[in-house]
Amino acid sequence: MSYRTVVMYVEIGCFVVCLSGWILVCSTMPIDIWTWSEIESRVLTTSHYFSNLWKNCVSDSTGVTDCKNIPSLLALNWDIHMCRALIIISIILAFFGSVLVLVGMKCTKIGGSEIVNARLTFAGGMNYLIGGMCSMIAFSYYGNKLRAEFQDPYYKAEKFEIGVGVFIGWGGSTLLVVGGLIYSIFAGRDGFHSSSKRFPEYQFPDAYRVVPTKKSIQLLAHTEISESRKPRTTSGSRGSSISGITTTTNLSAINAYV
């Protein structure tokens, strides 16, 4: 099995994982039970209080449920606004991540070259990763707030427990983060390392690589002069003496420059 086939199967598996995580995060928005509390009264009835980011609900043992939307938007605490914004941003980023991944995956063949497809897949993976981190922050903050209020002995208001919506959000956020991270690793290796192979490293000239010192230039020039004074017996020695004189002239010019 070739490397391209392995990457293609990994991309398909990550797409299924990220799509499942996105669906789970979206499903937490209509779920009412983010927090819940049970109160038993002296009469044979039990009241259940539960709420989410958008409304508060109450039900009793007879099965009657009454929900009321949060009346004022500006009267909410800043943490509720933050959780709402982070979850909506996560859903939007994961949606565009799905579009980019569908275009850039190796099995779809919708994009252009291999490098373009890899970069599109990398962008989609980063959208998944950032979206998963946003939703993870929102659900973790909300759950930690409920835990702190429940364990605080000086908290006099009604205490709530963590509901099923927060747990589903944690699961969906984990899937988004894991899938986006794997997408970013594989697609980033193919999309950005390939571009470096097309543009090889610039080779500097020899004159810029080694800077000779003044002492080494004088010693080399003295050696070349002594060799040029030898008798010219053959044509090879004649050529070497001419090259020696030329080298001596060049080195003298370099010495004067230094």
Side-chain angles (χ1 to χ4, degrees):
M1 185 179 294
S2 63
Y3 175 76
R4 188 180 185 278
T5 307
V6 173
V7 174
M8 182 179 67
Y9 287 136
V10 170
E11 288 179 350
I12 295 174
C14 289
F15 179 74
V16 174
V17 169
C18 292
L19 186 63
S20 302
W22 179 63
I23 293 174
L24 289 177
V25 173
C26 292
S27 66
T28 60
M29 301 300 287
I31 292 178
D32 296 332
I33 308 175
W34 281 46
T35 64
W36 69 277
S37 177
E38 182 177 340
I39 300 177
E40 296 182 357
S41 60
R42 294 180 180 179
V43 189
L44 296 179
T45 56
T46 303
S47 299
H48 300 274
Y49 295 91
F50 50 93
S51 63
N52 59 4
L53 297 177
W54 313 97
K55 57 186 176 180
N56 299 319
C57 300
V58 59
S59 65
D60 54 20
S61 57
T62 60
V64 178
T65 303
D66 186 18
C67 294
K68 180 181 181 182
N69 294 327
I70 297 177
S72 176
L73 181 65
L74 299 178
L76 288 176
N77 295 330
W78 64 272
D79 52 356
I80 302 297
H81 287 293
M82 181 192 69
C83 293
R84 285 180 175 181
L86 287 175
I87 294 174
I88 292 175
I89 290 173
S90 172
I91 293 173
I92 294 174
L93 288 176
F95 171 77
F96 285 106
S98 301
V99 174
L100 291 173
V101 165
L102 282 176
V103 174
M105 280 171 43
K106 297 182 183 299
C107 60
T108 56
K109 299 179 180 180
I110 300 177
S113 61
E114 291 288 336
I115 297 178
V116 174
N117 287 341
R119 291 180 178 177
L120 288 174
T121 306
F122 177 78
M126 291 302 297
N127 278 2
Y128 280 135
L129 182 60
I130 297 174
M133 291 299 296
C134 289
S135 59
M136 181 66 75
I137 291 172
F139 291 115
S140 298
Y141 177 84
Y142 196 83
N144 183 68
K145 177 186 176 184
L146 295 176
R147 181 203 59 81
E149 292 177 353
F150 189 84
Q151 295 180 351
D152 188 5
Y154 300 102
Y155 186 74
K156 301 302 181 182
E158 184 178 356
K159 296 182 179 181
F160 291 90
E161 297 186 11
I162 300 175
V164 64
V166 179
F167 290 103
I168 294 176
W170 276 334
S173 302
T174 303
L175 293 179
L176 286 176
V177 171
V178 172
L181 186 60
I182 297 176
Y183 263 133
S184 303
I185 292 174
F186 280 90
R189 181 183 302 174
D190 294 339
F192 294 97
H193 287 192
S194 301
S195 61
S196 61
K197 296 179 182 178
R198 295 188 305 167
F199 304 100
E201 183 181 359
Y202 178 74
Q203 301 292 333
F204 290 95
D206 295 336
Y208 294 97
R209 287 185 177 180
V210 179
V211 180
T213 60
K214 186 174 182 180
K215 184 176 180 180
S216 61
I217 293 176
Q218 290 177 355
L219 181 59
L220 184 60
H222 180 70
T223 305
E224 294 293 339
I225 292 173
S226 62
E227 290 180 358
S228 64
R229 289 178 181 177
K230 293 180 180 180
R232 305 174 183 177
T233 56
T234 60
S235 59
S237 62
R238 184 183 298 109
S240 63
S241 62
I242 294 173
S243 62
I245 294 172
T246 306
T247 306
T248 305
T249 306
N250 294 333
L251 291 174
S252 300
I254 295 173
N255 190 10
Y257 175 76
V258 175

